[in-house]
Amino acid sequence: MNLVEAIEVRRSRRAYLPVPLDPGVVEKLRQLIALYSQGIEGRIELVLDNGSAFEGLRKSYGMFSGVRHYIGLIGNKNNLSSSEQLGYYGQLLMLDATAEGLGSCWVSGSFDRKSCPFSLSEEESIISTVVVGKAVEHDSRKERLIRSLVHRKTKTAEEMFVADPPVPDWFLCGMKAVQKAPSAANRQPVTFSYQEGKTTAWVENLTDATLAVDLGIAKCNFEIGAGGGTWGWGNHAEFVRADT
């Protein structure tokens, strides 16, 4: 499975089998984390066989079961560029995990940060986590309920961009991938633009880490759907296609 296919099949899973990850998958995730961590303003850590941050009603509000493994995204919550980069690479890791047959879910709030086994400096914060693992074969009733509530207000791809006609096919493919990108409370806050031959993306009132993470996630999906390229960091940064 490639990353384009992973975008198509991935959906948030909240019920997992409490079993170890395949050693080969663990090694691949560690290699990718080392690669993606190069040069970013933050750090990424893989937690194995320790689901204490997601256990009990107080910590996860009963939304998760069987969680044993997750990826911690650690940065400075006052550095929006750090949060955006963690969103981008966290999403890329989630799609890599999907391609390996794992279930996954972005989790920003419904876990106990104090139970995470990370050593944090005074400037650092756990920006978000990505749960990974062997998901139960069929969606639980609770998962179906949560999904129905979350996706009631999903935007169309056309509602998330402004463009000068004619809109190229590669841009539309990128936007279809963005439509499938997760975001906090499914707000889908990122707007994309194709005007005067330039592609940019932004979030109105980009003032907190959660929105910056959403910006990074959406940029990641767009880049994959559009066939590759390079984003600049920050609001209104430009996307340069791989073949230009």
Side-chain angles (χ1 to χ4, degrees):
M1 184 187 304
N2 60 36
L3 294 183
V4 174
E5 293 168 333
I7 288 174
E8 290 295 322
V9 304
R10 193 213 69 84
R11 67 186 193 279
S12 296
R13 298 304 311 273
R14 296 173 175 84
Y16 294 85
L17 299 174
V19 297
L21 296 183
D22 180 270
V25 173
V26 171
E27 180 59 26
K28 182 168 185 178
L29 288 176
R30 284 177 169 159
Q31 291 176 356
L32 290 171
I33 287 172
L35 175 64
Y36 298 159
S37 296
Q38 296 178 11
I40 70 170
E41 300 177 75
R43 57 193 174 97
I44 305 170
E45 294 195 16
L46 177 64
V47 177
L48 299 174
D49 300 309
N50 183 349
S52 59
F54 297 87
E55 294 172 354
L57 290 174
R58 285 187 58 192
K59 298 175 181 179
S60 69
Y61 306 103
M63 294 177 65
F64 295 90
S65 64
V67 173
R68 300 295 301 164
H69 323 289
Y70 60 96
I71 298 165
L73 305 171
I74 302 162
N76 186 325
K77 63 181 178 180
N78 296 315
N79 182 337
L80 296 184
S81 179
S82 171
S83 297
E84 180 189 346
Q85 292 171 38
L86 290 169
Y88 177 96
Y89 286 109
Q91 176 67 3
L92 195 52
L93 280 166
M94 172 182 276
L95 295 173
D96 289 322
T98 301
E100 293 296 323
L102 297 180
S104 61
C105 187
W106 271 95
V107 189
S108 296
S110 52
F111 69 99
D112 183 10
R113 283 172 164 78
K114 293 182 180 179
S115 295
C116 295
F118 306 133
S119 297
L120 304 178
S121 69
E122 292 184 0
E123 295 79 21
E124 288 182 321
S125 174
I126 304 170
I127 302 301
S128 190
T129 61
V130 176
V131 170
V132 295
K134 181 67 174 179
V136 298
E137 185 175 356
H138 301 292
D139 290 357
S140 66
R141 181 184 302 176
K142 185 177 295 183
E143 284 185 299
R144 293 195 298 270
L145 175 61
I146 293 172
R147 187 171 295 115
S148 67
L149 293 173
V150 167
H151 289 282
R152 285 186 302 178
K153 299 179 180 180
T154 298
K155 295 179 181 178
T156 65
E158 289 75 16
E159 290 177 306
M160 292 187 285
F161 72 84
V162 293
D164 296 331
V167 184
D169 288 342
W170 62 263
F171 182 90
L172 294 175
C173 288
M175 291 308 306
K176 288 180 180 178
V178 170
Q179 188 186 20
K180 297 178 181 297
S183 61
N186 201 41
R187 290 179 294 180
Q188 298 177 296
V190 185
T191 300
F192 288 76
S193 170
Y194 178 76
Q195 294 178 310
E196 299 181 355
K198 293 184 179 181
T199 301
T200 58
W202 71 92
V203 174
E204 295 291 344
N205 300 315
L206 181 58
T207 56
D208 63 63
T210 300
L211 287 172
V213 168
D214 286 349
L215 178 60
I217 292 172
K219 283 183 174 181
C220 177
N221 269 36
F222 181 93
E223 180 179 314
I224 294 168
T230 304
W231 278 105
W233 301 122
N235 243 359
H236 299 283
E238 187 174 352
F239 173 72
V240 179
R241 292 184 67 206
D243 61 351
T244 59

